[in-house]
Amino acid sequence: MLAIIFDSIDSSYQKILKDGIKLKYPSIEFEVLDRASIINNSLPETIIFVMNEEALNSKFVEFVQTTFPDLEHFICLVSSEKYEEYYSQYSSDCMIIKQNKKDIRMLFENIDGEIKVTEELSLDNLDDIGLDDLDFEEEGVEERICQEIDNSLDAPPSLELPDNDDLPEANSLGGEDEETFNSEFLIETDASSVNEQMEGKELDELPLSMDKDNSSKPEEPITEVESKEIKPVPNEEIIQSASEEIKERKVQQKKYEEKIISLREGLDIPVWRKRQIQSKTIGIWSPLHRIGVTTLTINLALYLASLSIPVGVIEGITKNLKMKSLLEIYSKRKSNWISYNTYLEEEHHKAKDTMWSYEDVNFFPFEEHDLASKWNEQKIYYFMNGLKFHDIVFVDFPTGEMAPYTLESLQYVDELWVVMNNDLLSMMEWKDYIHQTIKPKVSVHGFFIDAYPFSKPKKLVEQMELHYISSLPALHEEVAQNYYGSVPLLNHEGVYEKVEKELFFVLEHFTGKKQKKVMSTEKDHSIFKRFTKRMQRR
């Protein structure tokens, strides 16, 4: 099977790439998969990896080459402005293509496939079939093409067809534009020539045309090769190293999965509390600092837990630890407590050591020595997905511009709630960042806080072009009092009554409108009863 991995590629470009693959490989089944599903399952026989310039760096290239040793095509789409820069740096590792429809279509002219020319040849459809597929020995083909060039004022400049007198013979025409395409991807058909040409070349540097099935290659080899220096590296060492790393990842995968199963069994969420609503992972974030994201996250979790919904809260990967300090105000930390991250990494800890429950919410903050932890894609995958046996998982992401590990984490959340307030001008400065960098990765919603009677939270969220979730009234005095208290903001006198109506919209977002009446009739037996008992205990 052929697997295609699109890493942050626009849907319109994905369609062009998939259409091109269907044309080039009509008899091969292919499937679009994400990196995580491939890493954690058996690797397909053939993999095409397509990424954009945002994540392209030497470490990521090394990661891709190591993770997918059978990588067939490694393609990076870059903007025209950065094409020369990225081509000079990374053309030996992957195929650098300008991010426009014309160049992406022309990419497939240089990939050996199974396509056959069945249409009437004309200048209008040369873009779709590729010059390699033309049979110039067929009577009249050469004359028809030249006549089309003479008659057309708008011939595509990328073809750069030669004059009739200089037109090469059929066996020497490669159809390659050497200024546009890297000549290391030239096709060799003779097995001995291929071995000589590729001797000492790394596994991931094999040309894109080097398919396992050589039946569709041209009859005569192209003897011209790129003159750039190739550092000889024994293929056997590369293959062995890649194989060892895959084995290591499999061992690590098994360890993570066993630990997560132990943690799920240790928490032992009662059956009657499970799957009351559709399971979701919600990231909470704001581009503005000190806006109260962590406080909001904790209190939203406490509200849902008061309705007997299993809730877990993860502190997103961060260098600014905060959740642990807040929890220590509300509850006493166990002497043998260890963080969720430490539990996943170290062998000798038990699942019960990482449990920090307060008011029926399971919290998973970081501790100080976690700052030295190293993160890779596999670890982030299990860190983010390991607690999804809860009905709701909140992720408290660090505020401000997102670090690479935060952006990587977004693919594992179902929704991102952007916290905003009346400072619309500051929020509007982040609008492009949210829509260009974040929104392609996850569904983004707006959550408004500090609403006054004159505020227009729904309108402000819509100006950011986000889906409105809910809003909370301004609670500045209550928040100030909370600094001196020992209970969460929601448990302070009078706070619950002020936010109850808006919090119910949050519940409605999770349950859907069909359950609104049911939840309303049961409200007196759940929310108020539990809340009253908590207040009485105080």
Side-chain angles (χ1 to χ4, degrees):
M1 185 191 77
L2 173 66
I4 311 170
I5 304 174
F6 290 125
D7 192 71
S8 302
I9 301 298
D10 184 84
S11 58
S12 61
Y13 296 133
Q14 288 189 26
K15 184 178 186 303
I16 296 173
L17 288 161
K18 287 189 286 188
D19 290 345
I21 291 170
K22 288 178 183 178
L23 286 172
K24 286 295 180 181
Y25 303 99
S27 63
I28 299 178
E29 293 184 4
F30 72 88
E31 185 177 357
V32 178
L33 302 171
D34 57 68
R35 279 183 277 159
S37 63
I38 289 183
I39 291 173
N40 295 292
N41 293 284
S42 58
L43 292 176
E45 181 179 350
T46 307
I47 297 175
I48 296 177
F49 193 102
V50 187
M51 63 181 293
N52 63 25
E53 63 188 46
E54 292 180 5
L56 184 60
N57 57 61
S58 56
K59 290 186 178 180
F60 189 77
V61 168
E62 182 182 358
F63 164 77
V64 172
Q65 293 175 340
T66 302
T67 306
F68 309 118
D70 295 327
L71 190 66
E72 187 75 14
H73 306 323
F74 188 6
I75 302 164
C76 180
L77 306 183
V78 303
S79 60
S80 300
E81 296 79 15
K82 295 185 178 180
Y83 175 78
E84 296 296 335
E85 174 189 348
Y86 282 94
Y87 183 85
S88 62
Q89 292 183 15
Y90 301 107
S91 59
S92 60
D93 299 307
C94 60
M95 192 169 190
I96 306 297
I97 302 296
K98 291 182 181 179
Q99 187 166 282
N100 59 65
K101 295 181 179 180
K102 181 187 74 175
D103 284 299
I104 294 174
R105 286 193 180 100
M106 291 189 68
L107 160 69
F108 293 100
E109 296 179 13
N110 295 268
I111 296 179
D112 188 28
E114 304 167 326
I115 191 169
K116 296 181 180 180
V117 179
T118 57
E119 301 178 359
E120 178 68 20
L121 296 175
S122 71
L123 196 62
D124 294 332
N125 62 17
L126 284 179
D127 277 338
D128 298 323
I129 62 175
L131 293 179
D132 283 1
D133 302 304
L134 302 181
D135 183 2
F136 279 85
E137 294 182 351
E138 181 183 344
E139 183 178 357
V141 170
E142 179 178 325
E143 290 76 12
R144 291 206 307 275
I145 291 179
C146 293
Q147 186 63 40
E148 287 282 348
I149 296 171
D150 292 338
N151 294 339
S152 176
L153 296 177
D154 300 318
S158 59
L159 293 177
E160 298 183 4
L161 294 175
D163 294 331
N164 189 35
D165 294 337
D166 298 327
L167 196 65
E169 295 295 328
N171 290 339
S172 64
L173 180 63
E176 306 268 342
D177 181 353
E178 294 183 359
E179 294 181 359
T180 305
F181 298 98
N182 190 344
S183 60
E184 77 175 16
F185 302 128
L186 294 176
I187 302 171
E188 282 286 336
T189 56
D190 180 57
S192 61
S193 299
V194 170
N195 292 333
E196 292 176 9
Q197 218 173 276
M198 301 313 300
E199 183 177 358
K201 203 167 188 185
E202 292 186 11
L203 180 65
D204 291 305
E205 291 183 291
L206 291 176
L208 291 180
S209 57
M210 191 65 64
D211 294 331
K212 294 182 179 179
D213 181 7
N214 295 327
S215 60
S216 58
K217 297 181 180 179
E219 295 181 0
E220 295 293 332
I222 297 175
T223 57
E224 184 179 352
V225 297
E226 188 177 22
S227 60
K228 70 174 185 178
E229 180 182 355
I230 299 175
K231 295 181 180 180
V233 179
N235 280 349
E236 293 183 0
E237 293 182 10
I238 297 295
I239 295 173
Q240 183 178 358
S241 175
S243 177
E244 290 174 356
E245 292 199 27
I246 290 176
K247 290 179 181 178
E248 183 179 343
R249 292 180 69 86
K250 290 289 185 182
V251 171
Q252 192 70 21
Q253 172 186 341
K254 184 178 180 181
K255 184 188 80 171
Y256 285 145
E257 290 175 351
E258 289 175 348
K259 281 181 168 288
I260 288 168
I261 291 172
S262 297
L263 181 59
R264 181 181 63 190
E265 293 173 349
L267 288 172
D268 192 24
I269 299 173
V271 175
W272 60 269
R273 291 184 60 194
K274 293 181 180 178
R275 296 296 177 262
Q276 298 187 64
I277 59 177
Q278 182 181 358
S279 179
K280 279 189 176 182
T281 299
I282 306 296
I284 301 184
W285 168 84
S286 177
L288 308 181
H289 295 290
R290 299 187 62 81
I291 197 173
V293 169
T294 302
T295 300
L296 176 64
T297 304
I298 290 174
N299 286 277
L300 285 175
L302 293 174
Y303 167 72
L304 293 174
S306 72
L307 302 174
S308 299
I309 296 173
V311 183
V313 178
I314 313 176
E315 186 168 22
I317 304 171
T318 180
K319 296 180 181 179
N320 183 24
L321 310 184
K322 188 174 181 181
M323 187 179 293
K324 175 172 165 284
S325 300
L326 282 177
L327 289 174
E328 286 178 325
I329 296 174
Y330 311 145
S331 63
K332 186 177 181 181
R333 176 168 56 95
K334 295 186 298 184
S335 59
N336 61 339
W337 174 82
I338 50 114
S339 70
Y340 175 47
N341 174 59
T342 302
Y343 169 71
L344 289 178
E345 282 298 297
E346 299 179 6
E347 296 288 344
H348 59 281
H349 295 295
K350 297 180 181 178
K352 64 179 182 180
D353 296 337
T354 194
M355 298 175 191
W356 192 332
S357 295
Y358 175 74
E359 296 282 355
D360 295 328
V361 177
N362 296 317
F363 291 94
F364 299 90
F366 280 108
E367 53 185 329
E368 285 71 16
H369 75 261
D370 289 325
L371 295 174
S373 295
K374 295 181 179 180
W375 296 87
N376 56 36
E377 187 181 75
Q378 185 185 41
K379 183 180 175 183
I380 293 175
Y381 173 85
Y382 283 102
F383 180 82
M384 294 295 297
N385 289 326
L387 300 173
K388 290 190 175 182
F389 47 82
H390 296 84
D391 280 12
I392 297 294
V393 177
F394 286 113
V395 185
D396 176 21
F397 283 124
T399 55
E401 184 175 356
M402 290 187 172
Y405 42 73
T406 303
L407 291 171
E408 178 70 23
S409 301
L410 290 180
Q411 62 182 304
Y412 305 118
V413 302
D414 298 296
E415 298 173 4
L416 180 72
W417 292 4
V418 179
V419 182
M420 53 190 296
N421 57 16
N422 293 285
D423 189 1
L424 182 61
L425 291 179
S426 296
M427 287 300 304
M428 290 299 292
E429 292 176 358
W430 288 88
K431 182 176 179 180
D432 288 343
Y433 177 82
I434 291 172
H435 284 271
Q436 295 174 11
T437 304
I438 298 176
K439 205 167 184 181
K441 302 176 182 294
V442 65
S443 174
V444 184
H445 304 255
F447 195 104
F448 197 93
I449 63 172
D450 295 341
Y452 290 96
F454 56 81
S455 300
K456 298 180 179 179
K458 191 169 184 180
K459 185 176 180 180
L460 295 179
V461 171
E462 289 174 350
Q463 284 187 326
M464 290 289 292
E465 298 182 27
L466 302 177
H467 175 73
Y468 176 76
I469 296 289
S470 186
S471 64
L472 293 179
L475 300 168
H476 295 297
E477 183 176 344
E478 291 83 353
V479 170
Q481 290 177 348
N482 190 49
Y483 293 141
Y484 299 94
S486 58
V487 294
L489 180 62
L490 191 64
N491 289 5
H492 276 267
E493 185 175 355
V495 171
Y496 187 86
E497 288 77 10
K498 291 182 180 180
V499 300
E500 174 197 359
K501 179 181 177 181
E502 299 299 334
L503 287 179
F504 194 74
F505 291 131
V506 175
L507 179 63
E508 185 180 288
H509 176 76
F510 289 121
T511 61
K513 293 184 178 180
K514 291 181 179 180
Q515 299 186 35
K516 185 174 181 180
K517 285 186 177 180
V518 177
M519 300 305 299
S520 298
T521 56
E522 295 179 354
K523 184 170 58 175
D524 293 336
H525 302 287
S526 56
I527 302 175
F528 290 107
K529 187 176 180 180
R530 287 173 172 270
F531 183 72
T532 303
K533 284 185 177 181
R534 267 205 314 268
M535 296 298 290
Q536 289 174 349
R537 288 199 299 267
R538 292 173 53 205

